Amino acid sequence: MIFRDFARGPGSVRLVLEFGARRGLPAGRLLAGSGIGLAQLDDPECRLLGGQELRVIGNLLRALGHPPGLGLEMGRHYTFSTFGLWGYGLLNNPTMGDALAWALRFVGLSFAYCSIRFARRGDLAVLHYAPPPGLSAALGRFVAERDMAASANLLREVGGEDFRLSAFELKAGRGRVFSRPADPPRPGGAEPSFRGAAYRLAFPAGFLARRLPHADPLTLSLCERLCREQLERQRVLPDAAQAARDYLSSSDSGVPPSLGALADALHTSERTLKRRLGRAGASFRALAAQERAALAARLVGEERDSLSRVAERMGYASLSSFSQAFRRWHGVPPSAFRRGARGDGPSGVSGSYST
C-alpha cells in the first residue's frame, strides 16, 4: 500500500484540475470533500494524503460519467517535470535498467497508486501493476490506466525516440469503464489490449542495457541522498482512525469494505486494528456509517442519477428503505435534500450519523 505510506506533493492534483478544466469542470467541484484548498496547490511544500487525491479523481469520474479510457488520457500528461527530484534522478542513472530500478526503489516519491513489480521474461522486460484494494471498479481502472500510461511516457523519454513497448495490456472486466474507447491513445507506441488477464506492459529487454546520455554519478549520488531524505519526510504514520477514514473514502461503492479488508490493507490483524481504533476513540462500524452517509449525500446532491438508482447503488432493495436510512443520517428525506442542494429550499442536513 505504498500510496498510503507516503504523502505526496500537489503536482498530480493540479494536473487533475487542469484536465477537468479543459472539460469545463470548475476546480471547486473537483476539490469538493477532499479537504484541499486551491491555495495549497500553489505551495511546493504542501503534502497531501493519497486519499485526498483519490477523492478529487472520484469527483472527476462522476462528473464526466465514468468514460472508458480516461486514465489513459490523463497519464499522457505525466512527464519528468511532473515528478521533480524523482524524475531528475532517473535521467542521471547510467543505464535504462538502473533508471528502472531507481524508479521502483523511490516509487513513494511518484504519484503512483498501483503496486508495481518488475520481472524478466525471456527477451522481454515486464512491469505488472496492481491497483490497491478497496477502490471502486471505476477508480481502480482509472489509476491502473493512469499509472501505466505515465510509465510508458517515462520509459519513452528514458529509452529514446526508437523505444517502443511490445505490449500494453489492460485487465478485462465488465462494465463501461472496462470497454474500449473509440480512439484509444497508444502509450509507448503500443496498441493497447483491453482483454488482458492482468495489468502489464512489456518492452524488449535489450533496452535495459542502453546507456543514458545525461548520466552523471555525482549528481545521481546527490539525488539519491535527497530522495531518501524526502521519503522520510513524506512518510505517513496516521492513527488508526485516520487510516480507516482514508481507506473508506477511497471507495465510492455503496457497500463499505469489511474490517478484514481494511486490516489486510494496513498489514495488521482485525484484533489489533480494533484495539488501535478503540484507543483512538473510534470503531470501524461508526466510521463506515459516516462514510456511507457522506456518500449518500454526495450521490443525492449530484443529481446525476434518479433517487431510485442512488438507492440501488447504495445497496438498498427499495427507495423507501433508502429514504428511511437517509432521513436517519441527515434529518430529511433524500428528495428534500436534493431540493436543498439545488437551492430550492433548505437542505436541513443535521450532520449526525446514526449506526
Side-chain angles (χ1 to χ4, degrees):
M1 297 299 293
I2 196 75
F3 84 90
R4 297 185 193 280
D5 295 336
F6 297 97
R8 51 189 58 209
S12 189
V13 171
R14 283 201 303 267
L15 281 179
V16 175
L17 297 188
E18 292 167 6
F19 189 78
R22 290 193 291 272
R23 288 155 178 78
L25 299 175
R29 181 174 181 183
L30 296 180
L31 293 176
S34 69
I36 303 172
L38 273 176
Q40 291 177 269
L41 301 180
D42 293 326
D43 179 5
E45 298 301 317
C46 170
R47 291 296 175 259
L48 305 172
L49 295 177
Q52 292 180 284
E53 184 182 353
L54 286 173
R55 180 59 63 91
V56 178
I57 293 171
N59 290 341
L60 173 75
L61 294 175
R62 284 186 292 273
L64 296 178
H66 301 283
L70 195 66
L72 297 177
E73 292 289 342
M74 184 75 199
R76 298 166 66 187
H77 298 279
Y78 286 76
T79 63
F80 283 112
S81 61
T82 308
F83 298 100
L85 182 63
W86 182 80
Y88 187 57
L90 287 175
L91 293 176
N92 282 279
N93 276 270
T95 69
M96 189 169 179
D98 293 322
L100 180 57
W102 161 282
L104 296 178
R105 186 163 71 252
F106 294 112
V107 71
L109 297 179
S110 75
F111 299 112
Y113 283 94
C114 291
S115 298
I116 306 173
R117 180 173 56 87
F118 170 75
R120 182 81 176 258
R121 296 285 184 265
D123 294 334
L124 289 178
V126 184
L127 288 170
H128 296 267
Y129 296 75
L135 302 189
S136 67
L139 203 51
R141 180 64 164 202
F142 178 92
V143 298
E145 290 181 348
R146 188 186 74 168
D147 288 356
M148 291 176 66
S151 296
N153 265 10
L154 295 179
L155 287 168
R156 187 80 172 268
E157 291 187 78
V158 172
E161 286 300 315
D162 62 334
F163 176 85
R164 293 291 185 278
L165 289 179
S166 303
F168 189 98
E169 297 183 0
L170 296 165
K171 187 175 182 179
R174 295 183 177 180
R176 182 167 182 246
V177 297
F178 292 95
S179 60
R180 182 186 183 87
D183 186 23
R186 293 170 55 89
E191 181 69 31
S193 167
F194 293 81
R195 298 181 179 180
Y199 294 108
R200 73 178 195 114
L201 57 81
F203 59 92
F207 277 103
L208 294 172
R210 172 164 288 189
R211 307 293 299 183
L212 302 187
H214 303 292
D216 182 88
L218 292 178
T219 302
L220 179 62
S221 178
L222 175 61
C223 286
E224 186 160 359
R225 178 174 63 81
L226 293 175
C227 280
R228 285 198 303 267
E229 292 173 357
Q230 190 170 335
L231 271 181
E232 286 307 309
R233 288 196 302 272
Q234 294 185 194
R235 191 176 296 276
V236 176
L237 296 173
D239 62 37
Q242 182 57 51
R245 291 188 190 96
D246 185 30
Y247 185 79
L248 290 164
S249 67
S250 67
S251 173
D252 63 4
S253 168
V255 181
S258 67
L259 177 65
L262 174 59
D264 288 344
L266 298 177
H267 307 294
T268 188
S269 67
E270 291 188 35
R271 170 183 273 183
T272 299
L273 180 56
K274 283 183 179 178
R275 187 166 59 249
R276 289 177 60 194
L277 286 171
R279 285 201 297 265
S283 73
F284 180 79
R285 182 183 178 191
L287 292 172
Q290 290 173 13
E291 277 301 323
R292 191 164 165 78
L295 173 61
R298 190 164 69 249
L299 294 177
V300 169
E302 284 175 353
E303 299 193 64
R304 186 166 59 85
D305 292 324
S306 67
L307 293 179
S308 295
R309 173 59 181 147
V310 171
E312 182 182 340
R313 288 182 61 182
M314 292 292 298
Y316 287 88
S318 68
L319 176 57
S320 174
S321 56
F322 171 66
S323 296
Q324 292 175 17
F326 194 93
R327 181 188 287 273
R328 190 169 65 250
W329 290 329
H330 298 293
V332 294
S335 55
F337 186 96
R338 177 165 283 186
R339 288 195 300 272
R342 285 199 302 260
D344 298 338
S347 63
V349 178
S350 66
S352 63
Y353 304 97
S354 302
T355 60

